[in-house]
Amino acid sequence: MFQFFHSIANLINIVVNFVINAVKMLLIIVTQIPVALTFILTSVAYLPPFLVTFIMLFVATVIVLQLINKGS
């Protein structure tokens, strides 16, 4: 009988930990997007002007493909 309640408590613990970890992951992703964009833009700023257009086109294509989940 006690094992039943122990398994219910473990299930609740798993669900709560999953929700907490999912929220942490989303917060990390949201906070890292500006850092990644800043890094990419500062890296592109050091390129010669004739390469910037092609690099930005490539980056925009990669971002769009990742957003529609066709990049993997």
Side-chain angles (χ1 to χ4, degrees):
M1 187 69 172
F2 290 114
Q3 201 171 25
F4 172 74
F5 291 117
H6 184 66
S7 64
I8 295 293
N10 282 339
L11 180 66
I12 292 171
N13 188 14
I14 290 170
V15 170
V16 168
N17 282 334
F18 174 76
V19 170
I20 290 172
N21 287 333
V23 169
K24 283 182 183 178
M25 181 182 62
L26 287 174
L27 286 175
I28 289 172
I29 289 173
V30 168
T31 57
Q32 291 301 314
I33 287 174
V35 174
L37 287 175
T38 305
F39 174 74
I40 291 171
L41 291 176
T42 55
S43 299
V44 170
Y46 291 115
L47 291 173
F50 62 90
L51 288 178
V52 172
T53 304
F54 298 110
I55 298 297
M56 292 305 274
L57 180 65
F58 175 73
V59 169
T61 305
V62 168
I63 290 172
V64 168
L65 288 176
Q66 288 298 324
L67 286 176
I68 60 174
N69 203 13
K70 300 279 185 191
S72 56

